[in-house]
Amino acid sequence: PQIPIKLPLYPMPPGVKKLRLPSHAISKPKFLAKPDIKRSPDILELRASVLCTSAIQDKKKRERAFAKARGEDVSSKSAKDSEGGRGDEDLPLGGAEVKICAGCIQRERKRASRKKQRKPEEDELFQRDEDKRVIVFNTTEIKDWTDPPRTPNSTNCDPSLPIAPLGAMQVELPMRIACYCRHQNEKVGFQ
């Protein structure tokens, strides 16, 4: 099922007008940005990952996951790592980022093959990043930031949500998670 994400940002960095989603996570080739749209100071770039909820209930694992998401070096020097094995923190249940499983990659391939009018170069592009596609955004790669609703009476506005402060901006991102939590032995769910 598709998840309608409303991503607010406050304070908005000066001069920022757009958001770029990770190209490997875009659902359809027609949603990809044109190659001439280069990186620029007015476009924020989003990195998104999926985590096992049960793993990040542990404060240490949660802080490690957040540090990794910020791009900090979180390499561990445990005895298991020095012996060439994988430590628990390298696994989704240990707080590592969830990767799409082989069965779901196959399902996504089948899903893509049902599309009419496919081009070989688009199929090749899609398959190149299939092991990274645990999150799929069903929208364009470049999104404009918009003003969020400022009153609880606005259409489609949840009255339990706080009202966005002046200067806040928002982007709507319809997405889905392409792998099931049970495939990762996760009992609680994903975040």
Side-chain angles (χ1 to χ4, degrees):
Q2 193 156 276
I3 306 164
I5 303 292
K6 291 184 181 182
L7 179 68
L9 183 62
Y10 181 81
M12 195 69 182
V16 169
K17 305 271 187 272
K18 298 180 182 292
L19 176 73
R20 181 187 297 263
L21 301 174
S23 59
H24 69 268
I26 301 301
S27 64
K28 300 173 188 164
K30 71 178 183 181
F31 288 152
L32 291 171
K34 303 289 181 251
D36 61 339
I37 300 180
K38 304 288 184 220
R39 287 174 159 55
S40 84
D42 69 332
I43 302 175
L44 282 182
E45 303 211 7
L46 179 74
R47 286 185 300 175
S49 56
V50 174
L51 299 172
C52 290
T53 300
S54 60
I56 60 170
Q57 299 304 308
D58 177 288
K59 186 178 180 185
K60 189 175 177 184
K61 290 177 184 174
R62 183 175 54 247
E63 288 305 317
R64 182 178 167 77
F66 288 162
K68 190 168 184 177
R70 289 188 299 268
E72 297 171 16
D73 181 21
V74 291
S75 56
S76 173
K77 306 292 183 234
S78 73
K80 231 179 187 179
D81 289 342
S82 61
E83 295 169 13
R86 283 175 58 152
D88 280 350
E89 62 273 351
D90 294 330
L91 302 171
L93 289 174
E97 182 178 333
V98 172
K99 303 289 185 198
I100 187 169
C101 73
C104 289
I105 287 175
Q106 283 297 110
R107 192 187 68 250
E108 290 294 309
R109 278 184 194 159
K110 270 189 191 172
R111 183 185 182 122
S113 73
R114 289 193 299 261
K115 306 282 189 249
K116 297 175 178 142
Q117 296 183 335
R118 293 178 6 248
K119 297 176 185 155
E121 61 272 14
E122 289 176 355
D123 282 351
E124 188 180 313
L125 181 69
F126 188 82
Q127 286 183 359
R128 188 179 63 207
D129 291 324
E130 67 187 2
D131 60 327
K132 298 180 194 169
R133 200 172 290 112
V134 69
I135 295 175
V136 181
F137 292 103
N138 193 24
T139 188
T140 56
E141 183 179 353
I142 305 286
K143 300 286 294 181
D144 289 317
W145 290 96
T146 60
D147 284 318
R150 304 236 187 262
T151 61
N153 299 343
S154 296
T155 353
N156 298 328
C157 189
D158 183 343
S160 67
L161 295 174
I163 297 171
L166 261 133
M169 297 298 274
Q170 171 179 292
V171 67
E172 293 191 24
L173 307 170
M175 63 155 291
R176 64 185 173 83
I177 299 174
C179 193
Y180 297 99
C181 57
R182 66 180 177 270
H183 295 178
Q184 309 287 335
N185 295 320
E186 168 57 33
K187 307 284 188 256
V188 183
F190 287 148
Q191 289 193 18

